Amino acid sequence: MGAGTVLIARMTGTGLNYLLQILLARWAGPASYGAYSYAMAWTALLSTLSGLGLPQAIMRFVPEYESTQRWSFLRGLVRRTELIVLLASSTLAILSIAIVIGRMPETDDSLLRVPLIVGFGLVPARGLMNLQTKLCVARHQL
């Protein structure tokens, strides 16, 4: 029952995301949607890099700590990895925003400036989301 529910939820979410992308592309137009897609691609890349490999590492250690019932180690692991990912992703976001502001002055008619700044501002949230997703998978809490 649990796996079927997860499958249906993921299929529904994917379908809704697809429809949303079509509606957004039609509403925004080719240039604006292209800028949005470009910014979101950079955001996804930077949020993956900001994890420093910790989301994958946590999948190895969480089941081990649960099976041996070392709860203090598990709490420490989760807290430290969240802190490290938050610091790394925030630093990466601030540097990226600074580069965009330095390279694209406001007088420039570039459509990319605002979407890139907003997208880079989302890097810490996406980095933590990636970590939490892997943590849920490791704990079998889909």
Side-chain angles (χ1 to χ4, degrees), residues 26-94:
R26 292 195 179 267
W27 173 73
S32 295
Y33 184 73
Y36 161 78
S37 296
Y38 183 75
M40 288 303 108
W42 272 107
T43 302
L45 175 67
L46 292 179
S47 66
T48 301
L49 294 175
S50 72
L52 303 173
L54 293 173
Q56 288 74 19
I58 206 168
M59 291 188 68
R60 177 177 179 260
F61 291 109
V62 167
E64 179 183 339
Y65 291 156
E66 281 185 336
S67 68
T68 58
Q69 296 184 354
R70 293 193 284 177
W71 304 115
S72 60
F73 283 98
L74 180 60
R75 279 192 300 277
L77 174 72
V78 171
R79 286 183 188 145
R80 294 288 185 212
T81 55
E82 285 177 344
L83 180 64
I84 292 169
V85 169
L86 182 62
L87 289 174
S89 59
S90 296
T91 302
L92 198 54
I94 290 168

